Amino acid sequence: MKSLNWPLIISTWNFGAKANRVAWETLTRGEDPLDAVEKGINVVEKDPDVTSVGYGSIPNTDGYVELDAAIMSGPTHKAGAVAALKEIATPISVARKVMEKTNSVLLVGDGALKFALKNGFKRVTLLTEKAKEKWLKRKNQERVKKVDDNHDTIGLVLLDSRRNIYAGCSTSGLAVKISGRVGDSPIIGAGLYVDNEIGGVAATGTGEQIMMFCGSFLIVENMRRGIPPQEACDAVIKRMASKGQKEWVGFIALNKEGQYGAASLEKEFPYAIYCKKGEAIQKSKVCE
Ligand code: SD4
């Protein structure tokens, strides 16, 4: 291969740029690539101005912030996830502990909180005044369908210098979701998926639709057939559209050669890339 396009990191949305920077610094310090994924995502989780991930997120119908997150390691083909987790600001870190310290993949609700506390995580009040105001405004509206920056998942896919692939995602889900609702993000194969021989994918958008198509898994399987990441994403969006699915979704994908792409339904979304050449924000390809 002529140009060695790795390490390479891609992340969803504009806030992905902050996550990428920290992930890149962590990686280039020689730390574990999983630390890079986790620390990158932590930055977005801890940012109170991001009201769709971690601390400061918009709560569910009952006024509680419930968080979903997952992490997956290519070399071990292991994953960990948490769903409907309350009172912990960094669910990606809890997901990693699930992966590394248990034989389980997914812990939910009270069990996930109990596990987090047992592993040294501190309880915090996740609801901020800003998020509460937004919640009050939206509470009586129908679920917001349009794409906006306040309402989305951080998904990060990383190809390291050894060409191993890792991915993580974290979200509070759809704003003002029904209490107990879990989206795609903690579901392996939906919100994210990694096959270390092929590539990695992460999703954003309406989780119900992503889950019903096993979206991230399907894109990796397309790439397995030799389809480049961009076309692999396009094909899944088109399949959704062909079945009359109209809720907004988006995917980012990265393969083992360091090729990447992103596609979304009807409306573009920004995603952030970071590699040796520098960093950039790009727009997803819109498919219908
Ligand atoms: C979910 N996929 O829970 C997440 C939310 C999201 O744009 O990314 N919304 O369905």
Side-chain angles (χ1 to χ4, degrees), residues 194-226:
V194 172
D195 184 311
N196 210 40
E197 310 311 315
I198 309 295
V201 175
T204 182
T206 308
E208 284 68 13
Q209 191 163 305
I210 297 163
M211 284 190 273
M212 285 188 284
F213 287 82
C214 302
S216 294
F217 177 75
L218 199 50
I219 293 170
V220 170
E221 292 307 296
N222 283 344
M223 293 196 288
R224 189 188 303 281
R225 294 190 285 125

Side-chain angles (χ1 to χ4, degrees), residues 10-286:
I10 57 171
S11 291
T12 53
W13 302 102
N14 287 316
F15 51 53
K18 289 189 289 191
N20 285 359
R21 267 172 233 143
V22 171
W24 185 267
E25 282 161 20
T26 309
L27 202 60
T28 49
R29 274 199 305 268
E31 289 181 37
D32 187 328
L34 280 169
D35 289 337
V37 173
E38 180 184 346
K39 287 179 183 174
I41 291 177
N42 283 162
V43 176
V44 182
E45 291 178 326
K46 288 177 185 169
D47 184 347
D49 291 330
V50 178
T51 56
S52 58
V53 179
Y55 174 72
S57 287
I58 297 176
N60 64 18
T61 44
D62 292 345
Y64 293 107
V65 178
E66 290 188 335
L67 302 175
D68 299 340
I71 193 162
M72 189 158 185
S73 164
T76 59
H77 204 78
K78 282 193 163 187
V82 288
L85 174 65
K86 293 190 178 105
E87 299 184 276
I88 303 291
T90 53
I92 190 74
S93 301
V94 185
R96 184 172 174 191
K97 285 267 187 295
V98 173
M99 176 174 75
E100 291 179 342
K101 297 207 158 193
T102 77
N103 292 324
S104 303
V105 170
L106 172 61
L107 298 183
V108 306
D110 289 346
L113 177 59
K114 199 171 155 190
F115 173 80
L117 297 172
K118 215 173 149 189
N119 280 279
F121 290 86
K122 297 276 170 281
R123 274 180 198 266
V124 290
T125 302
L126 295 174
L127 189 60
T128 58
E129 276 309 308
K130 180 180 172 176
K132 197 171 166 184
E133 268 173 40
K134 283 194 176 185
W135 175 71
L136 286 170
K137 260 196 213 156
R138 290 188 186 188
K139 198 166 150 46
N140 297 320
Q141 293 172 355
E142 253 201 277
R143 203 168 77 197
V144 181
K145 285 186 182 158
K146 71 182 178 68
V147 181
D148 71 37
D149 269 0
N150 290 324
H151 177 197
D152 296 293
T153 300
I154 172 76
L156 185 151
V157 187
L158 182 154
L159 174 68
D160 76 358
S161 54
R162 296 191 173 93
R163 296 178 72 203
N164 288 320
I165 305 159
Y166 306 83
C169 63
S170 183
T171 188
S172 59
L174 296 178
V176 199
K177 63 190 179 183
I178 302 170
S179 184
R181 178 263 186 194
V182 171
D184 58 302
S185 300
I187 307 300
I188 307 306
L192 58 67
Y193 194 68
V194 172
D195 184 311
N196 210 40
E197 310 311 315
I198 309 295
V201 175
T204 182
T206 308
E208 284 68 13
Q209 191 163 305
I210 297 163
M211 284 190 273
M212 285 188 284
F213 287 82
C214 302
S216 294
F217 177 75
L218 199 50
I219 293 170
V220 170
E221 292 307 296
N222 283 344
M223 293 196 288
R224 189 188 303 281
R225 294 190 285 125
I227 301 175
Q230 182 62 59
E231 286 76 14
C233 291
D234 298 353
V236 171
I237 299 278
K238 284 180 190 161
R239 175 156 342 160
M240 290 174 171
S242 76
K243 292 194 185 287
Q245 304 289 332
K246 290 285 173 213
E247 299 282 339
W248 189 86
V249 296
F251 293 100
I252 55 170
L254 170 62
N255 71 12
K256 205 154 168 89
E257 314 308 323
Q259 298 173 305
Y260 60 88
S264 51
L265 186 72
E266 289 178 356
K267 193 169 175 180
E268 67 187 20
F269 76 105
Y271 66 105
I273 64 162
Y274 206 123
C275 62
K276 275 184 212 150
K277 289 181 207 151
E279 58 177 319
I281 295 282
Q282 302 200 351
K283 300 279 186 208
S284 64
K285 182 174 160 194
V286 176

